[in-house]
């Protein structure tokens, strides 16, 4: 069932059930993070590997402190600028955070999402919500309640409908476990903006496309292949990718360019005005739309390698792997 009833969501979460929640990035599949059996349901419902830890969501830093977590100085600076917002912080865990949430690692991921409905919900809870993106493991993250309904609707009791996600790609992940902060995932907050507040960061995002495994646990969830549509997606120079292809059997995902040879209804132009924020917001819905068309290939452009373009290219590259 889908609706906007916060009280219903609270009752379900308190009794150990799952609720899909809207955030500014993507929809999350939430459970009481302090209830290990509720968290187990997340892994089962998503078919998520047990080694992949979850982000906990709350509405305030004071609550995090109350749960035994200490906040590094540079994290505080970022919190002041960007939380609530599309940024996730990795810090040493406390005893109160169950092992199942962190997949046995000594660190926990925390985030304050920027969404009025979910902030209202979180403000009424005295526990954090563990929530991965609300998609079956490996598929594209959902950016609307309808996306969640299509794939998980019959597996969860409630989807809290907060409309279309305004950022549209997952949060940026920054780790404070080493001296210099490390970027583990490009996402909804640009590395440029982070650097402007706290100075240099190490960008640890795997750019070689090499598979990250449990032996290489820097960011356990950042598998080389991820976020993939069912159709084959190719990521590169469109003119080259078009060579030898039947133009009626492909769909393009582009930034702002229109390609003359290709039928217009097979071109998903993410931002005719050339705005990377707008392109990020529309990316996952476009991938889903292309996936539903009667075609053989999805061809996606390489976006400008800056600001949210980094997150867009990252998701496309993993979809193409
Ligand atoms: O925008 C978002 O972050 C969304 C919304 C729902 O908040 N959530 C999300 O969760 O994208 P998920 O589970 O799909 O991705 C979380 C990523 C995974 O790659 C996971 O491996 C990583 O965060 N992660 C979580 N806890 C971690 C930890 N303790 N150490 C390192 N990486 C961690
Ligand atoms: Mg995910």
């Amino acid at each position: 069932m889908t609706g906007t009833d916060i009280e219903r969501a609270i009752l379900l979460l308190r009794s150990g059930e799952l609720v899909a929640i809207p955030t500014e990035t993507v929809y999350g599949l939430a459970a009481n993070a302090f209830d290990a059996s509720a968290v187990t349901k997340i892994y089962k419902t998503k078919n998520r590997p047990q080694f992949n830890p979850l982000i906990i969501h709350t509405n305030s830093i004071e609550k995090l402190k109350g749960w035994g977590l200490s906040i590094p100085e540079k994290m505080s600076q970022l919190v002041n600028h960007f939380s609530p917002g599309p940024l996730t912080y990795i810090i040493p865990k406390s005893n109160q955070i169950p092992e199942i949430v962190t997949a046995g690692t000594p660190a926990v991921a925390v985030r304050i999402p920027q969404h009025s409905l979910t902030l209202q919900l979180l403000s009424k809870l005295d526990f954090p919500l563990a929530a991965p993106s609300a998609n079956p493991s490996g598929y594209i993250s959902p950016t609307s309640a309808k996306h969640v309904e299509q794939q998980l609707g019959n597996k969860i009791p409630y989807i809290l409908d907060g409309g279309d996600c305004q950022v549209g790609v997952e949060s940026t992940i920054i780790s404070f476990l080493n001296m210099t902060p490390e970027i583990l995932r490009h996402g909804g907050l640009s590395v440029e903006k982070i650097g402007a507040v706290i100075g240099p960061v190490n960008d640890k995002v795997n750019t070689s496309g090499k598979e990250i495994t449990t032996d290489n646990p820097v960011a356990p969830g950042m598998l080389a292949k991820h976020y993939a549509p069912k159709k084959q997606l190719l990521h590169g120079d469109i003119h080259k990718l078009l060579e030898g292809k039947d133009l009626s059997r492909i769909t393009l995902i582009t930034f702002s360019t229109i390609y003359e040879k290709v039928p217009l209804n097979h071109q998903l132009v993410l931002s005719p005005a050339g705005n990377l924020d707008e392109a990020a917001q529309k990316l996952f819905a476009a991938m889903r739309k292309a996936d539903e068309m009667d075609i053989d290939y999805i061809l996606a452009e390489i976006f400008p390698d800056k600001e949210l373009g980094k997150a867009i290219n990252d998701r496309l590259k993993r979809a193409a792997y």
Side-chain angles (χ1 to χ4, degrees):
M1 190 180 160
T2 300
T4 57
D5 186 349
I6 291 185
E7 294 308 322
R8 187 188 171 96
I10 290 174
L11 284 177
L12 287 164
L13 290 164
R14 283 202 183 124
S15 59
E17 298 296 334
L18 303 186
V19 174
I21 57 166
T23 81
E24 80 281 38
T25 58
V26 301
Y27 274 70
L29 183 61
N32 176 351
F34 290 161
D35 179 342
S37 78
V39 176
T40 305
K41 291 181 188 168
I42 295 179
Y43 285 93
K44 280 209 188 103
T45 304
K46 270 188 66 108
N47 197 17
R48 182 182 180 99
Q50 288 276 355
F51 66 79
N52 194 359
L54 306 174
I55 299 172
I56 64 167
H57 299 67
T58 187
N59 65 307
S60 93
I61 291 296
E62 292 315 309
K63 281 186 179 172
L64 292 176
K65 291 180 185 163
W67 296 322
L69 297 169
S70 27
I71 310 301
E73 171 55 27
K74 285 189 176 169
M75 171 172 163
S76 284
Q77 293 171 14
L78 290 175
V79 167
N80 289 337
H81 280 84
F82 303 121
S83 291
L87 183 57
T88 293
Y89 311 92
I90 309 259
I91 53 177
K93 88 187 258 307
S94 66
N95 292 336
Q96 290 183 57
I97 313 296
E99 297 258 306
I100 184 161
V101 170
T102 63
T105 65
V108 63
V110 303
R111 152 166 144 78
I112 302 178
Q114 174 66 285
H115 191 287
S116 59
L117 207 55
T118 292
L119 282 172
Q120 272 183 66
L121 171 72
L122 290 167
S123 71
K124 294 183 181 182
L125 301 176
D126 54 7
F127 49 83
L129 293 179
S133 50
N135 49 287
S137 197
Y139 197 67
I140 305 158
S141 295
T143 53
S144 72
K146 197 172 159 209
H147 292 165
V148 182
E149 207 170 272
Q150 283 166 352
Q151 287 175 310
L152 300 181
N154 59 356
K155 295 186 174 166
I156 56 177
Y158 200 55
I159 300 167
L160 194 58
D161 188 350
D164 289 344
C165 299
Q166 292 305 300
V167 172
V169 290
E170 299 86 347
S171 59
T172 300
I173 301 181
I174 185 165
S175 167
F176 292 94
L177 301 183
N178 290 320
M179 279 291 277
T180 305
E182 296 174 334
I183 303 296
L184 303 188
R185 176 171 76 182
H186 289 293
L189 185 70
S190 72
V191 176
E192 291 91 334
K193 284 189 178 163
I194 292 171
V197 172
I198 58 167
V201 294
N202 280 340
D203 192 338
K204 304 283 279 189
V205 178
N206 181 288
T207 46
S208 66
K210 202 182 83 194
E211 180 117 19
I212 297 171
T213 68
T214 40
D215 304 330
N216 177 13
V218 185
M222 296 300 280
L223 300 176
K225 179 175 169 57
H226 209 342
Y227 315 100
K230 297 184 185 86
K231 299 249 157 63
Q232 189 170 357
L233 187 146
L234 305 173
H235 184 215
D237 178 83
I238 297 290
H239 291 293
K240 280 196 191 134
L241 293 176
L242 281 173
E243 280 168 20
K245 299 262 181 344
D246 175 349
L247 296 185
S248 67
R249 301 295 305 165
I250 57 111
T251 288
L252 305 184
I253 295 180
T254 68
F255 185 22
S256 54
T257 309
I258 290 174
Y259 291 81
E260 272 178 20
K261 289 188 286 185
V262 179
L264 273 179
N265 60 350
H266 283 225
Q267 300 195 52
L268 305 175
V269 184
L270 300 186
S271 175
N275 179 319
L276 284 169
D277 293 349
E278 182 185 22
Q281 202 242 334
K282 295 189 175 152
L283 176 67
F284 289 158
M287 285 166 74
R288 281 173 185 259
K289 183 170 178 189
D291 210 13
E292 283 161 15
M293 293 173 74
D294 179 23
I295 52 163
D296 299 320
Y297 296 99
I298 304 167
L299 311 185
E301 261 182 359
I302 295 175
F303 284 64
D305 186 38
K306 60 169 189 180
E307 299 156 14
L308 263 61
K310 284 185 189 285
I312 295 173
N313 284 329
D314 174 88
R315 303 306 185 271
L316 288 171
K317 193 165 58 182
R318 288 175 208 281
Y321 187 79

